[in-house]
Amino acid sequence: MKILVVQRDSLVAGVNFSLSVYARVVEAMDWLRDQGKIQYAVCGENEEAIFPALRWADAVIFNKHISAGAVRIAEEARKRGLRTLLDFDDLVTAFPAYSAGADEHEKFFPGEMLGLMDVVTVANARLRKEISPLRDDCVLVPNGIYAEKYPKPVMEEASPPRCVFTNADYLKIDRFRRGFTRVLQDFHQLHPEITFDFFGDAFPELLSLPFIHYTRRIPYSEYINCLARTGYCFAITPLGGKEDAANLRFNRCKNPFKFLNYGIAGIPAVYSSTDIYDECIDNGVTGLIAKNDYASWMEKLEYMYADANFRRKIKYTSYNCIYAKYHIRESANKFFDLI
């Protein structure tokens, strides 16, 4: 079977690739290819080669593609009798106020694309419930990671210590935004020996965090390889919870990709107490959960940094958890069966 994966510009950042396409689709296609089940190619929705590539393909996969160009590709695919699949891992019809996508909300109504699809997939049960009024036959395909594709993580920590912070789009917190910024500032003052690395999209608060080493958004595989090889001491992962009532609907439909990424890279992390992390992380075993207030975050960061044995335990338990419970094979086989 020959599958064409359509890449697209990010919906929230000025780059010509989407991390969701990598994490949700390419990761699964890599595994299927390595099992000898498929051939696949990736082509950008704005590339001239996309329409000739349709002559080669048996099926086309999109992820959150809702542009006019994507509609034209889908229409041509249908004319050629190709199987079409559209995957969602975010509630794109309700971007929150913190997102760079919020200003262009009207562009993100996927009705036309939904009507052109043979199959619509979603990444979690809450998202399926939200998308169902638009497409009542959408199918849940769980999140996963192609564990053995990546190098075994460096379990020995770098010296001097390094901490990692990853964030696409703007900071995904509202009421706690200033408090979180102060947490980082105060923690740095207490522990200036720690180097902070940031991967992702620039956000305004970076101006008040000059000690953070900014690295632009990089492709998914390159990013995880970097995480696994650096020997990070720990990671931080903020996300708005119940205190951000206006954003709760969107945030509850997100996915714990950072837990998958940090876990497979052997990095212990502190996560916000939100539905998606409360449900998948065993607090104190595969990660630490912090309430979105200053005292809780400072307490958890200090606890994590103070105990090297505790960090080492989380490194191994989170790595084994991801390998055992979140391997990409289930997701990949589900995509294959649907196509």
Side-chain angles (χ1 to χ4, degrees):
M1 183 186 295
K2 298 184 289 294
I3 299 173
L4 178 63
V5 176
V6 185
Q7 182 56 280
R8 57 170 170 78
D9 293 350
S10 168
L11 299 181
V12 297
V15 294
N16 65 352
F17 66 90
S18 161
L19 290 174
S20 289
V21 173
Y22 281 103
R24 284 288 294 168
V25 182
V26 172
E27 196 81 342
M29 297 303 110
D30 277 349
W31 188 83
L32 289 170
R33 176 202 60 202
D34 292 347
Q35 307 312 304
K37 291 188 173 185
I38 67 165
Q39 299 175 48
Y40 87 94
V42 180
C43 192
E45 65 179 345
N46 298 317
E47 294 182 36
E48 291 184 6
I50 191 75
F51 287 99
L54 292 175
R55 296 196 292 268
W56 165 84
D58 300 310
V60 184
I61 299 182
F62 303 86
N63 170 276
K64 292 188 297 198
H65 286 73
I66 40 190
S67 67
V71 169
R72 289 194 295 272
I73 296 166
E75 289 174 336
E76 182 63 24
R78 290 297 295 266
K79 288 179 184 176
R80 292 182 174 275
L82 309 186
R83 187 80 163 159
T84 54
L85 184 150
L86 174 61
D87 178 62
F88 288 100
D89 65 332
D90 274 320
L91 185 58
V92 295
T93 58
F95 273 100
Y98 66 68
S99 174
D103 293 338
E104 303 190 24
H105 172 79
E106 293 303 319
K107 293 184 180 180
F108 299 126
F109 185 77
E112 194 168 3
M113 278 293 286
L114 288 170
L116 291 167
M117 295 296 113
D118 293 308
V119 182
V120 175
T121 57
V122 294
N124 60 67
R126 293 189 182 94
L127 194 50
R128 178 169 58 184
K129 184 177 179 180
E130 292 284 356
I131 299 294
S132 288
L134 302 175
R135 179 77 182 239
D136 62 7
D137 60 346
C138 54
V139 180
L140 173 58
V141 176
N143 295 297
I145 193 164
Y146 190 173
E148 60 268 35
K149 186 174 78 172
Y150 300 105
K152 287 289 182 67
V154 175
M155 292 301 190
E156 297 303 316
E157 295 176 356
S159 181
R162 304 181 76 89
C163 175
V164 63
F165 173 30
T166 304
N167 189 75
D169 202 359
Y170 294 143
L171 280 179
K172 298 175 176 63
I173 45 179
D174 190 3
R175 292 187 64 181
F176 182 53
R177 184 179 300 242
R178 290 184 180 179
F180 179 74
T181 303
R182 188 159 62 91
V183 164
L184 296 183
Q185 293 167 335
D186 292 352
F187 189 76
H188 172 67
Q189 281 196 331
L190 291 169
H191 305 288
E193 71 278 10
I194 301 176
T195 297
F196 282 82
D197 290 341
F198 173 77
F199 291 89
D201 305 325
F203 54 92
E205 289 76 15
L206 273 177
L207 295 174
S208 63
L209 304 168
F211 53 87
I212 288 182
H213 295 182
Y214 169 65
T215 300
R216 61 179 176 78
R217 177 191 291 228
I218 59 176
Y220 189 72
S221 293
E222 182 182 343
Y223 161 67
I224 298 179
N225 283 332
C226 184
L227 291 181
R229 289 169 173 158
T230 301
Y232 283 110
C233 181
F234 64 93
I236 51 178
T237 305
L239 178 64
K242 293 181 175 64
E243 75 281 357
D244 288 345
N247 303 332
L248 188 59
R249 183 182 170 213
F250 182 87
N251 287 350
R252 292 182 80 239
C253 290
K254 293 191 68 60
N255 299 279
F257 284 121
K258 291 184 180 64
F259 175 52
L260 274 63
N261 298 160
Y262 294 144
I264 207 63
I267 303 173
V270 180
Y271 303 87
S272 284
S273 179
T274 61
D275 290 328
I276 68 169
Y277 295 126
D278 290 341
E279 291 168 358
C280 68
I281 292 167
D282 187 353
N283 191 25
V285 178
T286 56
L288 275 183
I289 300 291
K291 295 179 181 177
N292 277 340
D293 61 55
Y294 178 89
S296 182
W297 265 93
M298 283 298 291
E299 176 191 359
K300 295 304 191 294
L301 291 180
E302 289 289 351
Y303 187 87
M304 180 71 85
Y305 185 48
D307 193 336
N309 288 330
F310 177 70
R311 292 196 303 274
R312 188 168 183 82
K313 181 181 74 172
I314 291 185
K315 285 173 184 281
Y316 283 98
T317 54
S318 60
Y319 176 80
N320 291 333
C321 174
I322 299 305
Y323 215 105
K325 296 177 63 176
Y326 295 94
H327 194 281
I328 197 66
R329 67 174 66 87
E330 181 180 352
S331 311
N333 282 326
K334 189 75 172 180
F335 278 128
F336 183 78
D337 291 344
L338 291 168
I339 292 170

